[in-house]
Amino acid sequence: MTKLWKCQKCGRKFEKKNQMHSCTIYPVEKHFKGKEEMKPLYNKLKEKIKKNVGSFWVESLPCCIHLVTAPAYTFAAVYALRDRIRMHFGLDYKLESSRIDKFSQYSANRYMYSIDIKSEKEIDRELLSWLRQAYNLKHGV
Ligand SMILES: [Zn+2]
């Protein structure tokens, strides 16, 4: 397994030594300030991903919460909103689904998607399979 470089200042792990990044540490709790009701949904989401997709760790940045897997690949980003959790993830093909709020083509074979999750039942097999594909992309790139 690739040995990761760990930033001594913020503790984030990267594949490349001295990778440029922001060292700002932003606690997860701050993302949920005033949005505490969404915390159980976020926890459920993490639990289901761990169980159905694979292990990962969380990097809480000022912009959003990154879900990262080894070696140091962010396969999804989570945003806490007042009444929902917004999630961004990337796939290598164009996905057609009414559940996707928006997508952008990032590069020739990378599409970024945004999906809103309002309840636990929306963390279903379909969503988890997309996340599994996003998670596994690290092997292909
Ligand atoms: Zn750092």
Side-chain angles (χ1 to χ4, degrees):
M1 199 170 127
T2 328
K3 187 151 168 23
L4 296 177
W5 170 71
K6 187 175 173 183
C7 173
Q8 291 305 311
K9 206 167 148 197
C10 68
R12 287 179 68 189
K13 291 177 266 181
F14 297 96
E15 248 179 300
K16 250 193 296 175
K17 199 179 174 200
N18 298 321
Q19 165 81 44
M20 286 263 287
H21 66 281
S22 155
C23 286
T24 314
I25 295 170
Y26 194 88
V28 170
E29 300 315 318
K30 272 173 104 171
H31 283 288
F32 287 94
K33 194 153 185 269
K35 301 156 190 165
E36 285 83 2
E37 280 175 44
M38 291 298 111
K39 195 72 196 286
L41 188 59
Y42 166 72
N43 286 335
K44 202 77 208 172
L45 179 67
K46 284 198 302 180
E47 191 187 307
K48 288 208 178 188
I49 294 173
K50 204 149 258 174
K51 199 167 149 217
N52 296 281
V53 177
S55 61
F56 62 92
W57 66 89
V58 165
E59 279 180 1
S60 184
L61 307 178
C63 64
C64 55
I65 302 164
H66 279 186
L67 306 185
V68 191
T69 178
Y73 176 70
T74 300
F75 66 97
V78 174
Y79 300 80
L81 304 180
R82 217 157 37 82
D83 62 344
R84 68 195 69 186
I85 299 279
R86 181 161 292 162
M87 197 171 202
H88 289 182
F89 60 94
L91 293 176
D92 58 355
Y93 63 94
K94 196 166 171 197
L95 190 60
E96 302 280 0
S97 168
S98 56
R99 299 178 68 186
I100 301 296
D101 292 306
K102 62 174 173 218
F103 85 95
S104 55
Q105 191 165 2
Y106 197 67
S107 66
N109 54 0
R110 191 54 59 97
Y111 299 84
M112 295 301 296
Y113 298 99
S114 178
I115 188 167
D116 284 359
I117 303 161
K118 291 184 199 144
S119 69
E120 195 190 319
K121 68 175 195 311
E122 290 175 40
I123 313 169
D124 58 5
R125 280 171 61 172
E126 184 178 51
L127 175 60
L128 290 165
S129 84
W130 291 334
L131 293 175
R132 194 176 305 118
Q133 292 166 50
Y135 185 95
N136 288 327
L137 272 185
K138 63 179 174 178
H139 302 301
V141 218

